[in-house]
Amino acid sequence: MLKRNAETTLRPHLQLQLALIPAARADFLRWQSELDRGDTRLLQSATAAYHESISGLKQQQQELRAQFRAGLRRSDAPSVPQYELRALEQTAKLEQARAWLGLAHLTRDASEQAAAIEQGETLLKELGDDTIPDEMRLDVRIQLAQCSRLKGDMTRANYLLRQIEAESPPEWVRDKAMAERTLMLLKLDRPADAAQQLLAYRRQRGALPGELRYLSIRALVALAKVAEEKNDLQLAGEVRGEIRTQVAAAVHDVGGYWGARCRTLLEFSERAAEYGVELAEIVGTAESLYTQSRNAEALQEYARAVAAAQRLGKTELAAELAY
């Protein structure tokens, strides 16, 4: 369409939509990667897609800014109103920031994560200093709170979330703020407070959306681990029973991505309770490689699991894995 209608007034809108396609693909690949952390190819594909989307969105933002400035110098009315060009540029900048934070969540290298957070936060702060629509302003603040949490600055994150909550925002914003608050508590090793907070929010809101259900289960998994470490096996069993109930409900009621995340979290937590976290991660990677028909790599991971089990004194498990 752009080739056939080079002068269309919709051209900036269509070009931005084209630039958003790699960003959507990157998000999709990231979601797949988070469902299968052992699939390194997915991880690499998602990382490459985020870099592609960031590059395209940056170029589009620069082109929109140039068009906006050119319009200021014209004596007649531009074909595309200035306010539309400004709004499109702001959207390109916001989506760039979102892509940087997606990359920060994806990478497993601390220095790369810090750099990605810094890039995203810089763009968000530039938007925060600009005149933007209310909905975008709330979105920017949520993401800035996320940046602060990822950097470990819980005081700043809490300050931003209080600002948001004081404005009586729409439900989708309240849900995002609650997710950030829950993630903060989990990062601070306060799973009981996280679980209580979500329970109170559910009583106020009604049924929780997918992400908050997943975080509720994460809090319960952490509580079960604490109970097991204290050798309170009765409490641990009760909590694990509640986890299974909540996972079954999430898979049935929510389904899709978050239902799958809840199910894989349950599977990993039960394996970790039996094997320990280190072994559970290695075995999970081995199984993932096997399902990808990467049999030689899978055998190497199973050999690592056997060696780790022997080192940890789990001789029966080592024999089982070797078999």
Side-chain angles (χ1 to χ4, degrees):
M1 180 178 176
L2 286 172
K3 290 180 180 178
R4 293 196 306 270
N5 302 276
E7 300 304 319
T8 176
T9 57
L10 292 176
R11 187 178 186 83
H13 297 267
L14 295 173
Q15 286 180 318
L16 179 57
Q17 289 303 312
L18 284 172
L20 289 172
I21 291 172
R25 179 172 175 271
D27 285 337
F28 178 72
L29 289 169
R30 174 192 158 198
W31 297 336
Q32 286 188 306
S33 178
E34 287 177 342
L35 286 170
D36 188 355
R37 298 288 284 178
D39 191 337
T40 53
R41 291 177 182 174
L42 263 179
L43 179 65
Q44 291 165 359
S45 296
T47 301
Y50 271 122
H51 283 296
E52 179 190 353
S53 70
I54 289 164
S55 177
L57 286 164
K58 183 177 182 179
Q59 180 182 347
Q60 189 60 27
Q61 178 204 336
Q62 291 170 342
E63 290 177 4
L64 287 162
R65 183 182 300 169
Q67 291 176 53
F68 177 82
R69 288 175 176 171
L72 292 176
R73 295 191 294 270
R74 293 179 59 157
S75 57
D76 59 336
S79 57
V80 180
Q82 292 294 87
Y83 72 87
E84 285 190 19
L85 291 172
R86 190 64 169 158
L88 290 171
E89 182 196 345
Q90 290 168 340
T91 299
K93 186 178 285 189
L94 177 61
E95 293 306 320
Q96 259 186 91
R98 206 187 305 278
W100 277 116
L101 292 184
L103 191 60
H105 283 288
L106 194 65
T107 184
R108 299 172 191 179
D109 181 273
S111 61
E112 290 179 4
Q113 184 188 60
I117 295 167
E118 187 67 28
Q119 292 280 0
E121 189 174 41
T122 297
L123 290 164
L124 292 167
K125 285 179 177 177
E126 289 174 4
L127 280 169
D129 293 336
D130 205 348
T131 302
I132 54 177
D134 285 345
E135 185 167 320
M136 182 179 286
R137 180 173 50 79
L138 289 168
D139 195 357
V140 165
R141 284 187 181 175
I142 285 285
Q143 292 192 65
L144 282 170
Q146 182 183 164
C147 290
S148 295
R149 171 179 59 80
L150 290 170
K151 294 194 300 184
D153 187 352
M154 303 306 178
T155 301
R156 176 66 179 167
N158 189 51
Y159 170 75
L160 289 166
L161 292 173
R162 282 205 310 270
Q163 277 191 325
I164 293 164
E165 291 157 349
E167 296 187 30
S168 300
E171 187 172 73
W172 73 267
V173 176
R174 295 198 302 273
D175 289 346
K176 288 291 185 184
M178 180 54 58
E180 284 301 317
R181 288 203 173 281
T182 304
L183 287 163
M184 286 166 60
L185 289 171
L186 290 173
K187 181 70 174 177
L188 294 169
D189 292 324
R190 294 168 56 188
D193 291 336
Q196 283 297 117
Q197 176 178 266
L198 285 169
L199 180 60
Y201 188 64
R202 187 179 69 186
R203 288 170 178 162
Q204 168 198 331
R205 183 193 189 279
L208 296 177
E211 183 179 13
L212 293 181
R213 288 198 185 205
Y214 169 76
L215 292 175
S216 176
I217 292 164
R218 269 189 63 180
L220 290 174
V221 167
L223 283 172
K225 184 180 177 182
V226 170
E228 286 159 356
E229 288 171 349
K230 292 180 177 179
N231 206 32
D232 191 339
L233 300 184
Q234 180 178 347
L235 177 58
E238 291 171 0
V239 174
R240 290 204 172 275
E242 178 62 20
I243 291 169
R244 295 186 193 99
T245 299
Q246 288 201 23
V247 169
V251 170
H252 180 271
D253 298 341
V254 178
Y257 171 71
W258 287 112
R261 285 288 301 270
C262 292
R263 186 177 62 251
T264 56
L265 176 59
L266 170 64
E267 291 168 357
F268 179 80
S269 70
E270 293 191 336
R271 178 178 288 154
E274 182 181 359
Y275 294 174
V277 173
E278 180 187 356
L279 268 172
E281 289 178 344
I282 298 172
V283 171
T285 299
E287 290 182 350
S288 173
L289 290 166
Y290 183 76
T291 60
Q292 298 167 55
S293 299
R294 296 163 65 181
N295 297 338
E297 293 168 87
L299 286 173
Q300 289 177 349
E301 288 300 305
Y302 277 120
R304 278 187 63 213
V306 170
Q310 290 172 338
R311 173 169 49 80
L312 295 168
K314 299 177 183 287
T315 53
E316 289 184 11
L317 180 56
E320 179 186 332
L321 292 169
Y323 178 78

